Amino acid sequence: MRFGQLLLPSNLCLSPLAGYTNLPFRLVVRELGGVGLATTDLVNARSLLEQRGAALKLIETRPADQPLAVQLFGSVPEEMRDAAVCLESAGVASVDINMGCPVRKVCRVGGGSAMMTELDKTSRLVAGMVNAVRIPVTAKMRLGWDDENLTAPELARALEGAGIAAVFVHGRTREQGFSGTVSLAGIRAVAQAVQSIPVIGNGDVTTPESARRMIDETGCAGVSIGRGAFYNPWIFHHTVSYLATGTLPPEPTFDERLRVVRRHLDLMVEVFGEPHGCRMFRKVAPWYAKRFGPSNEFTRHVVRISTVADFEAVLENYLRWRRQFLDEQDELKPKFRPAPLVASFMQPPGVASRQHIPVPKGPVETW
Ligand SMILES: Cc1cc2nc3c(=O)[nH]c(=O)nc-3n(C[C@H](O)[C@H](O)[C@H](O)COP(=O)(O)O)c2cc1C
């Protein structure tokens, strides 16, 4: 998959997840393989231009964290343009514009989903950015504001005219938030509306099979995965393999899962320091635990860690407690194994709403 001149190593992208897609998480998924492009959390264009510490921390990167897109939000054309120029000179591979955020604070000032309601104004803002940089500029949107205003196809076509290099589309409206089923028909309408730029489908992809289904049924060039990567940071590697060969690599062993959890914590400590890194890890570790089998004992205590030593103590205690669920080969007894994940759009009607993927808490509560 190509965004303009930028050739990506795969057609699978890590979606921006404010509060989670920081440098440590991006490095973890990249080390496991298969990621074509990772995007930062959304960054306020003005804060970046003012060189605010929080904005600079969000764009912190390393050579192993490439290719990297930074997602900007804002609605002042000059600020968005200048922020894109600043990111280009910092060596970022591409700039993404947030047009999907439903949060009131972002929409009120004309950013996020509000951009989907004003096609001409948004196209002019995009053209200003595209003309100021050589790196690709992309947009991430939802299907529209609500069911009566499914503007994504029209907007994608207009943005292609303004020079956008690719469009990411989450197959839900702003009004839907995270409820209901992802609409493959809605994503297909966007893929059909553009002439030559890649459209990347997004929403509820939690397995390689669901990535395949999204690509086949929508004609999108690739998929972007957010929450599915929390459950399963191996999803990119597994999906690349599944798309190429039709076979699924074996599930990671429990030991491999523990290795990756520890690696993630080590990186959090390296990047954020031990006290802050451990505090941030409190909300990350329970996601890994969802694939551990019974894990209450882990989750209850891991949300209180302040040091790496605390984490190791929690783990040691948990491993002792977990033994009751194991057979003679030290494997989880069948009735304790976690159920396979199924994407909303792969489930029979009616089931999807009961088995939706949880939305993690974070600075953006209602994404
Ligand atoms: C906690 C959280 C934070 C998010 N932050 C962003 C963000 O900063 N920018 C953005 O465009 N989308 C954001 N999203 C939306 C995701 O990128 C993605 O479109 C959505 O979660 C659907 O994909 P998924 O089902 O694979 O998670 C966020 C979603 C969640 C759950």
Side-chain angles (χ1 to χ4, degrees), residues 1-24:
M1 190 162 69
R2 252 178 208 287
F3 289 180
Q5 299 298 310
L6 178 69
L7 177 64
L8 302 176
S10 83
N11 61 349
L12 306 175
C13 305
L14 175 66
S15 281
L17 298 166
Y20 295 88
T21 34
N22 44 36
L23 177 59

Side-chain angles (χ1 to χ4, degrees), residues 98-114:
N98 181 305
M99 299 188 189
C101 176
V103 173
R104 213 170 291 123
K105 183 173 85 176
V106 176
C107 292
R108 206 180 44 223
V109 293
S113 312

Side-chain angles (χ1 to χ4, degrees), residues 6-44:
L6 178 69
L7 177 64
L8 302 176
S10 83
N11 61 349
L12 306 175
C13 305
L14 175 66
S15 281
L17 298 166
Y20 295 88
T21 34
N22 44 36
L23 177 59
F25 186 54
R26 298 195 305 267
L27 290 171
V28 164
V29 292
R30 289 185 196 276
E31 285 174 7
L32 298 173
V35 178
L37 181 79
T39 304
T40 61
D41 300 12
L42 81 175
V43 180
N44 183 323

Side-chain angles (χ1 to χ4, degrees), residues 1 11 37 44 83 92 102 116-117 123 151 154 169 202-203 227 241 259 278-279 305 313 318 329 337 339 359 361:
M1 190 162 69
N11 61 349
L37 181 79
N44 183 323
V92 162
M116 300 198 65
T117 61
S123 300
T151 48
E154 213 184 327
V169 58
N202 167 239
R227 290 165 298 163
S241 163
R259 182 192 70 77
C278 286
R279 255 197 322 275
I305 60 163
Y318 170 62
Q329 279 79 46
R337 291 183 195 154
V359 179
K361 290 206 169 39

Side-chain angles (χ1 to χ4, degrees), residues 251-324:
E251 282 292 298
T253 61
F254 181 63
D255 284 350
E256 168 65 356
R257 289 184 191 277
L258 292 186
R259 182 192 70 77
V260 172
V261 180
R262 284 194 170 105
R263 173 73 180 141
H264 196 154
L265 177 58
D266 286 348
L267 286 165
M268 294 291 271
V269 169
E270 247 178 74
V271 172
F272 297 106
E274 188 166 23
H276 189 45
C278 286
R279 255 197 322 275
M280 289 173 77
F281 201 64
R282 293 173 185 177
K283 62 179 187 180
V284 174
W287 286 87
Y288 283 99
K290 288 182 197 291
R291 306 309 290 166
F292 284 177
S295 59
N296 311 356
E297 194 61 18
F298 177 79
T299 306
R300 225 153 41 91
H301 296 291
V302 83
V303 293
R304 297 205 188 90
I305 60 163
S306 301
T307 62
V308 175
D310 288 348
F311 176 80
E312 287 301 333
V314 168
L315 195 56
E316 202 182 314
N317 177 51
Y318 170 62
L319 292 178
R320 220 174 300 117
W321 178 82
R322 189 174 179 270
R323 276 194 211 128
Q324 61 187 303

